[in-house]
Amino acid sequence: MTLEKLRPGQAGTVLALRLEGALRRRLRDLGLMEGTRLRCLGRSPLGDPSAYLICGAAIALRREDSRLIEVEVEPWNEP
Amino acid sequence: MERTVALAGNPNVGKSTLFNRLTGLRQHTGNWTGKTVSTAMGRCGDYRLVDLPGTYSLLPHSEEERVARDYLLQGEEEVVAVVCDACCLERNLNLVLQCRELCQRVLVCVNLLDEAERRGIRVDCTALSRGLGLPVVGVTAREKGSRERLLAALDALWEAPAPSRRSPPYGQGLETALQHMLPLTEGERLPARWLCLRLLAGEKLPASAKLQHAADTERAALGLTASEVEDLLSAALSREAARLAALSVTGEERAYGRRDARLDRVFTGKLWAFPVMLLLLLGICYLSIRGANLPSEWLSMGFERLEGLLRRGFAAFSAPPWLEGLLLDGAYQSLAAVISVMLPPMAIFFPLFTLLEDAGFLPRVAYNLDRPFQRCHACGKQSLCMLMGLGCNAVGVTGCRIIDTKRERLLAILTNAITPCNGRFPLLIALLAMFFASGRSAILPAALLTLVLAGSVLLTFAATALLSKTILRGEASPFVLELPPYRKPQVGRVLLRSLLDRTLFVLGRAAAVAAPAGALLWCLGRWQISGESLLLRLAALLDAPGRFFGLDGAILLAFLLGLPANETVLPILLLLYRASGGLGDAAGLGEIHALLLQHGWTGLTALCAVIFTVLHWPCSTTLLTVKKETGSWKWTALSALVPTVMGLALCAAVRALRF
């Protein structure tokens, strides 16, 4: 499934990045690549963007971009 | 030869704080490349420090990265100190490894060790140093010895023979390709191995045609596209970073912790985010206005007293009356008006703003407001530029540099003047208090001002949407924002620096713009054409068009003549109405109200005046800043046209509706 469907609190592992160009580079620089584990921290008050915990930092991504990232959801039990 | 150290690092790792700590007040902002990214430079001991823009990597995908990389490429003899966040080391190592590949002398500075301790993270600097093959210095905010250890490490690095550049293992295929390409790099100016890798990744760099061709051949032989090569390179760096982190970091890496999550539930939560932001905005405005009242009065009185002394001096030297008029009635009074109106609020607003920035709050604002900006095909960071514009539009325009793409940056620049700056507040408050808030209550004008500000935000959205559908058409560009952990702002130093910067800015502007403008105005005022003052004739000429827009000739003329400085619009208007006297003649609100009513002002006139105050051409300082930032007269002209056209249209509509 895609990253945008990850609900606040849910964790997942990245399977593929279906985006190109500058955004792809920037995400990879931030540590988001195949095999990275991340967690959805929450959505902004107007619904978009959402914040994700990636490599220990909180990164905000827009829905139109997180729609292009494939993840595998983990059964969640993080405090 | 002077020893220069470049400070590199990810954003939000406390690099600038460290820079400030090392250089103290001995720094200035430079524009060394002439590009639209500024670098701070300063001195620390024997070293000249250059604070490079914060970047996540050295790939040329944004202006900041290009600037940082170009700087590092051109300095053979220099030392690069890469500042890392101990809480987030693995990700930071990406940049360290890239620097190690590019530069000869690299020092790693692991910052915020105390923050890491608190989260149960420990970094073994010795192990890291061994693994990297680079000197590593640990730094904490409070510990005094950090600075000395850092300087000692820099000395050692400088004296040591230059180690060669190192790369992580890139795998069989790429290494073979490199073996084939390296012999062809004879005579290339850029570091050989690095150049080959970048060419393989498809980057356009100055290199011989032979080498470029070899890169294409090798890439084809490997059966990869440029993008795939880039992926391989970044994956290799990532693996190496993970390996180094594993052997030197204990505890789970986490920059963004539980406390940050809890705070964000408030600052970015559905319920509280907007109320809190509104409250903070109100708070800053209130403090700026209220706190500025007394100092403004003191400055006014001080300038008046000084004026008295100067006049006596002029009399003592039997100076010709025209000289006294030009210098005192013209230049001096304009200068005094601008300083006493602008300096106190700016001296409060911007330090407060900087405190919020230091604490980490501002990215949350961009995060919360990104959605409406997305709809306008713009970027959430524009909200921060608007906030800066609230203090001063020229600063707001410069602040648009935080936006990555040119199109969105232009959108922010062209609409910045719609946010009324501190210089326009007194005029707005006076108009609102006189015509829309009866009674002695102090709350009502403040509430109305908030309404006006909210209105200006909506107008900015409208303007941005319109521009992005017409002149500045294009797709919304990638938006990636880091929400840094909340940190305690360094109150003392931040405030001092901000205060100094702002004071110098206002004084500079007053001297360079307001004083000459005042002198010119005085000349124009004295100019008579067949018995009547030129200014009054102009006002009469502008009267018909003025009334069409619900204003009058004098008001339009006052705004036109107020181009150098918005603070002078009201004084000029009073001068025109009185048809005599100087700019500095003080008057209470009651007297002003009476004067305006005398000249035919109604509630409608006041409303149109408020609208026009928000929506008219930016001041000359802002216009010049737009020219500097965009490098084009076309965009500068547009930045004047956009708010003006909107203002006139809205005023005309309001006037028509009332009929």
Side-chain angles (χ1 to χ4, degrees):
Chain A
M1 70 173 219
T2 52
L3 185 60
E4 44 133 5
K5 298 214 176 65
L6 211 64
R7 287 200 301 277
Q10 273 193 312
T13 314
V14 177
L15 294 174
L17 293 176
R18 303 225 174 283
L19 7 86
E20 293 296 327
L23 183 57
R24 185 191 182 85
R25 295 294 137 228
R26 176 52 50 82
L27 289 177
R28 289 181 74 95
D29 287 336
L30 290 170
L32 185 73
M33 46 180 98
E34 298 80 9
T36 309
R37 200 170 156 269
L38 46 67
R39 190 152 71 84
C40 178
L41 291 167
R43 310 215 184 285
S44 86
L46 295 174
D48 189 34
S50 304
Y52 301 94
L53 190 67
I54 300 170
C55 290
I59 311 285
L61 291 174
R62 286 177 173 169
R63 180 173 298 149
E64 61 179 10
D65 298 322
S66 54
R67 208 174 277 161
L68 300 170
I69 302 174
E70 274 179 37
V71 295
E72 186 186 330
V73 190
E74 270 178 40
W76 168 66
N77 46 19
E78 176 105 25
Chain B
M1 210 193 68
E2 204 179 35
R3 300 176 166 198
T4 311
V5 177
L7 227 62
N10 285 8
N12 302 313
V13 295
K15 181 166 63 71
S16 293
T17 313
L18 185 63
F19 178 80
N20 288 339
R21 196 169 138 213
L22 290 172
T23 57
L25 290 171
R26 297 154 74 205
Q27 59 161 276
H28 63 278
T29 316
N31 223 337
W32 65 274
T33 55
K35 295 190 189 156
T36 55
V37 175
S38 65
T39 33
M41 304 194 205
R43 297 207 69 86
C44 175
D46 289 328
Y47 293 99
R48 191 170 74 110
L49 291 184
V50 178
D51 188 13
L52 294 178
T55 58
Y56 292 110
S57 85
L58 294 178
L59 299 177
H61 289 290
S62 75
E63 190 76 37
E64 279 121 345
E65 289 173 325
R66 270 189 288 266
V67 168
R69 194 174 79 167
D70 286 344
Y71 188 88
L72 292 175
L73 279 175
Q74 54 120 70
E76 278 288 325
E77 258 64 61
E78 294 181 352
V79 174
V80 180
V82 186
V83 183
C84 304
D85 182 354
C87 301
C88 212
L89 194 64
E90 185 175 331
R91 191 188 67 185
N92 285 209
L93 285 174
N94 185 20
L95 184 64
V96 173
L97 291 169
Q98 290 190 28
C99 286
R100 190 181 69 169
E101 204 167 35
L102 189 62
C103 316
Q104 285 188 301
R105 290 190 167 87
V106 181
L107 171 77
V108 178
C109 191
V110 180
N111 201 11
L112 303 166
L113 278 172
D114 44 350
E115 286 269 337
E117 274 294 331
R118 225 173 291 145
R119 295 173 207 263
I121 304 170
R122 290 192 62 244
V123 176
D124 183 354
C125 294
T126 325
L128 183 63
S129 179
R130 241 196 328 263
L132 272 173
L134 300 172
V136 176
V137 178
V139 174
T140 48
R142 304 200 193 312
E143 194 222 320
K144 301 248 187 243
S146 294
R147 188 172 182 269
E148 275 61 45
R149 275 187 294 115
L150 194 58
L151 286 176
L154 283 173
D155 287 336
L157 190 57
W158 201 276
E159 256 106 63
S164 52
R165 302 177 176 92
R166 286 174 59 181
S167 293
Y170 281 123
Q172 190 67 357
L174 283 172
E175 292 294 338
T176 319
L178 278 174
Q179 293 298 342
H180 294 163
M181 286 175 74
L182 277 172
L184 299 168
T185 59
E186 283 288 331
E188 291 288 352
R189 204 181 61 81
L190 300 169
R193 198 178 147 90
W194 178 84
L195 180 62
C196 296
L197 287 167
R198 294 317 309 155
L199 287 173
L200 279 170
E203 205 186 317
K204 305 266 178 299
L205 284 168
S208 68
K210 207 171 38 172
L211 195 58
Q212 307 244 20
H213 182 70
D216 294 330
T217 322
E218 292 299 328
R219 204 186 311 125
L222 288 168
L224 298 169
T225 63
S227 179
E228 286 168 337
V229 172
E230 189 75 84
D231 280 354
L232 280 178
L233 293 178
S234 70
L237 285 177
S238 179
R239 271 196 306 272
E240 178 73 359
R243 183 188 77 88
L244 289 166
L247 58 83
S248 53
V249 181
T250 43
E252 199 205 325
E253 278 196 21
R254 182 96 160 212
Y256 185 85
R258 271 191 214 129
R259 189 185 63 160
D260 305 303
R262 252 182 288 146
L263 283 169
D264 274 339
R265 253 197 289 278
V266 174
F267 292 127
T268 64
K270 226 175 185 143
L271 190 61
W272 290 110
F274 279 94
V276 166
M277 286 195 303
L278 209 66
L279 231 75
L280 271 168
L281 177 68
L282 268 169
I284 296 183
C285 287
Y286 178 74
L287 283 171
S288 301
I289 298 172
R290 201 63 208 281
N293 272 340
L294 266 175
S296 279
E297 262 181 56
W298 291 337
L299 280 171
S300 261
M301 287 196 306
F303 276 116
E304 259 181 64
R305 228 163 268 174
L306 184 58
E307 188 182 334
L309 287 172
L310 286 171
R311 283 199 195 275
R312 267 183 284 163
F314 271 80
F317 281 100
S318 315
W322 65 263
L323 189 68
E324 185 179 338
L326 186 76
L327 290 180
L328 286 184
D329 291 312
Y332 182 82
Q333 282 189 351
S334 183
L335 187 117
V338 165
I339 295 180
S340 41
V341 168
M342 253 321 226
L343 185 56
M346 276 190 63
I348 300 174
F349 181 90
F350 279 108
L352 283 177
F353 187 84
T354 314
L355 278 177
L356 282 181
E357 184 178 17
D358 253 31
F361 180 69
L362 294 185
R364 269 83 186 171
V365 175
Y367 176 68
N368 292 340
L369 292 176
D370 183 57
R371 179 122 192 258
F373 280 103
Q374 238 188 96
R375 291 291 190 83
C376 305
H377 292 283
C379 163
K381 292 186 189 171
Q382 191 170 333
S383 60
L384 296 176
C385 306
M386 284 167 64
L387 202 59
M388 285 187 261
L390 205 60
C392 170
N393 289 123
V395 178
V397 168
T398 313
C400 293
R401 291 176 186 175
I402 57 176
I403 300 179
D404 301 316
T405 50
K406 182 164 189 233
R407 187 187 72 94
E408 289 171 349
R409 196 179 303 148
L410 279 170
L411 280 173
I413 290 177
L414 292 183
T415 54
N416 197 275
I418 300 176
T419 312
C421 65
N422 270 330
R424 295 188 248 174
F425 278 18
L427 177 56
L428 280 172
I429 294 173
L431 289 172
L432 291 169
M434 285 188 291
F435 287 90
F436 300 106
S438 48
R440 309 275 303 153
S441 153
I443 299 282
L444 197 53
L448 286 173
L449 184 66
T450 316
L451 215 69
V452 170
L453 290 180
S456 80
V457 171
L458 292 173
L459 285 167
T460 307
F461 282 132
T464 310
L466 197 66
L467 282 172
S468 64
K469 286 200 167 63
T470 53
I471 306 172
L472 281 168
R473 211 176 313 199
E475 284 309 308
S477 5
F479 177 82
V480 176
L481 182 71
E482 185 182 342
L483 299 175
Y486 288 99
R487 300 214 176 103
K488 210 186 313 191
Q490 282 202 320
V491 177
R493 203 161 271 160
V494 163
L495 290 183
L496 192 60
R497 163 148 308 106
S498 201
L499 211 71
L500 278 174
D501 284 342
R502 291 308 136 203
T503 310
L504 284 173
F505 177 80
V506 173
L507 291 178
R509 180 168 156 260
V513 175
L520 190 66
L521 188 65
W522 183 86
C523 293
L524 284 178
R526 285 286 165 286
W527 196 341
Q528 301 249 347
I529 295 185
S530 38
E532 217 194 329
S533 141
L534 171 71
L535 286 183
L536 289 178
R537 273 184 174 273
L538 280 173
L541 220 81
L542 288 168
D543 208 54
R547 287 194 188 278
F548 179 74
F549 295 111
L551 305 166
D552 73 17
I555 303 174
L556 268 185
L557 188 60
F559 273 109
L560 279 167
L561 294 173
L563 176 71
N566 276 303
E567 303 91 310
T568 56
V569 170
L570 188 57
I572 294 176
L573 183 63
L574 298 179
L575 183 148
L576 289 171
Y577 279 152
R578 288 204 204 103
S580 63
L583 271 188
D585 291 351
L589 271 184
E591 297 165 325
I592 299 180
H593 193 185
L595 184 63
L596 296 177
L597 289 174
Q598 220 176 19
H599 284 265
W601 273 57
T602 63
L604 183 62
T605 322
L607 180 60
C608 290
V610 167
I611 293 174
F612 204 65
T613 307
V614 173
L615 291 170
H616 72 285
W617 47 82
C619 71
S620 59
T621 312
T622 307
L623 285 172
L624 286 172
T625 313
V626 174
K627 168 69 173 60
K628 191 171 86 141
E629 292 293 308
T630 61
S632 130
W633 285 114
K634 168 178 134 190
W635 294 120
T636 311
L638 266 171
S639 75
L641 225 64
V642 168
T644 308
V645 167
M646 283 178 73
L648 291 175
L650 201 55
C651 282
V654 163
R655 180 178 162 268
L657 284 174
R658 280 306 182 94
F659 263 36

